[in-house]
Each structure stands twice: as structure tokens, then as C-alpha cells.
Amino acid sequence: MASTGKVVTYKELDDAANRLSNLLRSAGLEVGDHVAICMENHERYMEVIWGCHYAGLIYTACSSRLTSDELTYIINDCGAKAFITSKYKADQAAAVHFIGATSVIMEHFDAEEYLKLIERYKVTHSQLVPTMFVRMLKLPADVRKRYDTSSLQCAIHAAAPCPVEVKRQMIEWWGPVIHEYYAGTEGNGFVYCNSEMWLSHPGTVGKAIQGVVHICDENGDEVPSGESGTVFFDSGTVFEYHNDPEKTKSSRDPKGRGWSTLGDVGYLDADGFLYLTDRKAFMIISGGVNIYPQESENVLINHPKVVDVAVFGVPNDEFGEEVKAVVQPVTMPASDDEARTLERELIAFCRSQLADLKCPRSVDFRPDLPRHPTGKLYKRLLKDEYWKAAGRSI
């Protein structure tokens, strides 16, 4: 019986404890996990204790008179995976959960809606991919200026290369809050770059903060700074691709030094910053010349009539391969004549900035390109389609 006069029967206590137990287990806590509890003398205290007990959890009771720093120490020290408190202690609890946050989830990315959400919820942290940057930059200037994005403290991007001009414009717009990383689920290395590092080394993906980066030629020999080759990590991490021993083998250093690669080509500058040239698998060999399609993609994506682009090699009887671009335009051409006109415009635009051999010889248009929701382009699907249509295998 509480001093308020409220009486709790054993059945009510059992029912309440079971509800909490089920809640804790559904939240992912497992037998043996730790829970911290901080409540004043409260009529529901016993159901919290018994609820943790029913769930097989270890609980640490914290005095309601502790300071925030003292409470933080205990929560961290006991390794609590959940923290239970009362309304009375809510303000102090907010000062210490420190890993809690409101998440704003978009079902599909829409550039203007994204900006609206940043302003509405005062978003502080966000993770993006370069195609999202591109689509925001393609919005009319008055639309971009309409929304307040000053709450952003950290915007992280990864998963795909970011063209230099795109990133430069984003930093000019949002300020030095943009961060980038290059890594893979293989966990063999991690490269990081903040805005200041990027501005002093435009185009870089940063410096290694896990593992040591080595750039090697086809024989596994390291190449000098500024020269492209396969990007290897020396980190001591060992991984295997499930049911794919050949892919696992191809990821290993041919000289047996324990290094591994994610399959990217790049180079290091004199200061040790890494620049990615392209995926090794997408390199085009035309007339004996190595062409990296990322270069022309980076140019074409900045054309005002282009929303998305993929560049890859297609069969050519004389040169082995030729450069093909598949473009998602802002507006699909209404006729073959419009398509040919836009094709010539894009090829000329590319040739104004790159050598002819690096530029597409033809351009096809599609209403959208195959991308994973994370933003990764399924270029292999497009490339396979063209090679199969030509009766060739890759």
C-alpha cells in the first residue's frame, strides 16, 4: 500500500511486471543484460524491479539524489543497455540516455522534402550519398534558400564517389559540416575526411584512421605517390566472402603480405591523402588505353539537364570497348530528334573538359537508373544488359 492510499494486489504486480518484462525483451534486451534504474520512492518501483527479474536482467538501483555526473558514471560503469526512470527525474535523465536522439526517416528521398524536414525538426546529424547532394543542388536557387539548414552539425556521406564541384558547392552552402568516409563491411580499413581536410586536398576521401593504405600495381608492387593502382589496406583484419572463394582470393595481396582490397583503384598524394579513381571492375580498355568512367561521370553530373548518370564500357569490334553513358535527364526527351540533340550536347559538354577518348561516344536516356536505397549505383546491371544485347559475355 502506498502513502497515497493506492493498493496494489499481487496479481496487479504480476501483470505489470510481465508487461515490462515483455517490453524489455521486445526492445532487444537478453538474459544477463544490465539495466540501470533511478527513481524516487515511487509506487511503481516494485513492478520495475520484478519486471527486470522476470526478463532475466541484472539491475542496478541508483539513488535519486545523485548528480548527473555521478549518475552517468554508474550507468557507464555497469554497462547498462537500458535506463528506467520516472517523470520526476526526466530532466536529469535527458542530461545523462546521451546516446538518445529523434530519428527522422524518409521512405523515399525527395530533395525539397528533405530540406523541409531539416528545418521542421532542427536536424543536427544526417547521412547522405552524393546523388542526394546532386538532387538538392539541381533545385532552383530560391527553393534551396527557402529552408533553414543551420541546425546541421554533421552531414556524413559515403557509398559512392562525390564529384569535386558537387562537394565544393555543398560546403559553400552548408559550411564545414560535411564529413566523408571510405570503408566497407569487410572491416579491413577506414579512411576519413572532414571539410577542412577536403578543402585543402580537393577530391580526396581522406586519410586512413584504421589500417595503412598501400597502392599497388598489377604485380603487387607499390607505386610512387600520385600514381594510380589498386588500393590495399594493411590492418590485420581477415575476412571471407560467403560461398565465393574466388572473390576472397582476388581481394588478397598477391605477394602474401596479409593486405586486402575492396577492389578500388586510387592514388596517394605526397601528404598521404587517398584519392579514388574508380572501381577496378569498371575500368574500360579501349584500343589498349585504360579509361576510368568516373571521370566522365563527374563531368556529366554537373550538366544542368542531368539528374543521374552511369558510364561504362560496351563492346566495340575495333577497339574492344567504347565508352557509353546512360543518363537520367531532368526531363525525358519527347522525340528521337530531341534525344539526339541532347546526346550531342552532353558529349560536347564532356569533351570541353576531358580528352575525347574519356568521353562517351553515345548516350542513352532513361527515366531512372538502378540504385539501391542507400544510393549505390548498380552499374553492373546496366553493363551486363548491353553486353548481353551484343551477344557478348564479360
Side-chain angles (χ1 to χ4, degrees), residues 349-379:
F349 179 74
C350 192
R351 287 178 174 174
S352 70
Q353 301 180 52
L354 294 175
D356 286 0
L357 62 88
K358 297 180 179 180
C359 298
R361 295 183 61 174
S362 59
V363 181
D364 290 348
F365 300 100
R366 300 195 179 190
D368 53 60
L369 300 188
R371 282 191 181 271
H372 188 273
T374 61
K376 189 177 290 293
L377 176 65
Y378 290 130
K379 193 189 294 189

Side-chain angles (χ1 to χ4, degrees), residues 282 284 293 296-297 300 309-313 323-326 358 360 379:
F282 295 139
I284 302 167
S296 49
E297 288 175 350
L300 290 170
V309 59
V311 176
F312 48 90
V323 183
K324 160 73 75 175
V326 177
K358 297 180 179 180
K379 193 189 294 189

Side-chain angles (χ1 to χ4, degrees), residues 97-358:
H97 289 37
F98 56 93
I99 60 170
T102 297
S103 294
V104 181
I105 309 298
M106 298 181 70
E107 186 174 355
H108 301 288
F109 180 78
D110 176 271
E112 186 173 358
E113 182 65 16
Y114 173 79
L115 297 175
K116 286 181 183 178
L117 293 172
I118 291 176
E119 180 180 77
R120 182 184 307 163
Y121 295 104
K122 305 300 180 189
V123 172
T124 57
H125 293 68
S126 186
Q127 181 153 354
L128 309 101
V129 293
T131 53
M132 296 175 181
F133 289 160
V134 170
R135 294 183 186 192
M136 286 187 284
L137 291 171
K138 298 284 184 182
L139 292 171
D142 63 316
V143 175
R144 285 194 279 122
K145 293 176 182 177
R146 188 178 301 159
Y147 302 102
D148 180 8
T149 59
S150 61
S151 61
L152 279 174
Q153 300 173 21
C154 178
I156 303 170
H157 74 95
C162 187
V164 170
E165 191 53 34
V166 168
K167 186 156 181 177
R168 193 188 308 279
Q169 290 181 59
M170 288 303 302
I171 294 175
E172 288 174 357
W173 179 14
W174 283 356
V177 300
I178 297 179
H179 302 255
E180 180 175 5
Y181 69 88
Y182 164 63
T185 53
E186 292 85 348
N188 60 335
F190 196 98
V191 174
Y192 165 77
C193 180
N194 62 27
S195 294
E196 292 78 8
M197 294 163 70
W198 189 91
L199 288 170
S200 63
H201 297 80
T204 186
V205 292
K207 276 191 168 183
I209 59 175
Q210 176 193 342
V212 178
V213 174
H214 302 274
I215 308 298
C216 300
D217 61 21
E218 292 297 325
N219 298 318
D221 295 319
E222 292 194 68
V223 299
S225 297
E227 190 173 318
S228 289
T230 302
V231 180
F232 281 92
F233 284 104
D234 175 12
S235 65
T237 299
V238 178
F239 63 88
E240 292 185 359
Y241 293 106
H242 184 62
N243 287 337
D244 200 338
E246 284 304 312
K247 186 176 181 181
T248 299
K249 182 180 179 181
S250 68
S251 72
R252 302 296 195 258
D253 166 33
K255 290 189 176 289
R257 292 165 292 197
W259 306 346
S260 58
T261 180
L262 301 175
D264 291 297
V265 175
Y267 64 91
L268 292 170
D269 67 13
D271 297 320
F273 284 85
L274 176 64
Y275 300 73
L276 296 180
T277 307
D278 213 328
R279 294 285 294 171
K280 190 174 182 180
F282 295 139
M283 185 177 70
I284 302 167
I285 304 177
S286 183
V289 178
N290 293 347
I291 300 169
Y292 295 105
Q294 185 182 317
E295 289 188 85
S296 49
E297 288 175 350
N298 289 349
V299 171
L300 290 170
I301 198 63
N302 285 299
H303 192 283
K305 296 180 182 178
V306 174
V307 174
D308 205 356
V309 59
V311 176
F312 48 90
V314 295
N316 179 290
D317 290 336
E318 183 178 358
F319 299 108
E321 290 183 276
E322 66 177 65
V323 183
K324 160 73 75 175
V326 177
V327 165
Q328 177 185 341
V330 173
T331 303
M332 283 292 291
S335 65
D336 289 343
D337 285 343
E338 283 190 15
R340 283 191 289 269
T341 298
L342 182 54
E343 177 184 40
R344 288 193 293 269
E345 182 180 341
L346 295 180
I347 292 174
F349 179 74
C350 192
R351 287 178 174 174
S352 70
Q353 301 180 52
L354 294 175
D356 286 0
L357 62 88
K358 297 180 179 180

